[in-house]
Amino acid sequence: MKMTSRHLSDKLTTEERDLLPSSDFGIPETREFPMPDAAHVRAAEAYFRYASETDKPLLAYRILLKAQEYGVEVKSPTVLEWAEKYKP
């Protein structure tokens, strides 16, 4: 589900969040860090520090994938460093 233009903030309703496919989350298994649009990619980058150490490689990798999809420039050196540690 792609968000409409009215969803410009990084806040989703519970219903909107429940409707997102797991692939729109930074951590799909736990459905944390939703990234259905560019605003949410930026939010995931901003809140990256709150992820557990074990989730950070996957989350960083998925932030970069979603950033590319939505044309977002990831500026956080921390996210970029963690993405390099991801092993699929």
Side-chain angles (χ1 to χ4, degrees):
M1 171 179 143
K2 299 295 178 204
M3 305 310 292
T4 63
S5 60
R6 76 174 186 84
H7 294 286
L8 298 177
S9 74
D10 66 354
K11 185 69 176 160
L12 293 171
T13 66
T14 301
E15 181 181 351
E16 290 169 331
R17 187 182 175 101
D18 290 346
L19 291 172
L20 293 176
S22 293
S23 61
D24 274 350
F25 289 86
I27 306 171
E29 298 77 18
T30 57
R31 296 180 63 85
E32 294 177 90
F33 297 92
M35 295 185 285
D37 54 35
H40 284 84
V41 172
R42 290 184 198 94
E45 181 181 4
Y47 292 111
F48 180 80
R49 66 185 173 276
Y50 297 111
S52 72
E53 295 292 306
T54 56
D55 289 334
K56 283 184 177 180
L58 172 62
L59 176 56
Y61 174 76
R62 293 188 55 76
I63 287 171
L64 293 181
L65 285 179
K66 288 292 187 174
Q68 184 177 17
E69 180 179 340
Y70 294 113
V72 174
E73 180 183 353
V74 175
K75 297 178 182 178
S76 168
T78 304
V79 171
L80 297 171
E81 288 172 21
W82 277 98
E84 290 177 12
K85 297 177 184 181
Y86 178 68
K87 306 276 191 269

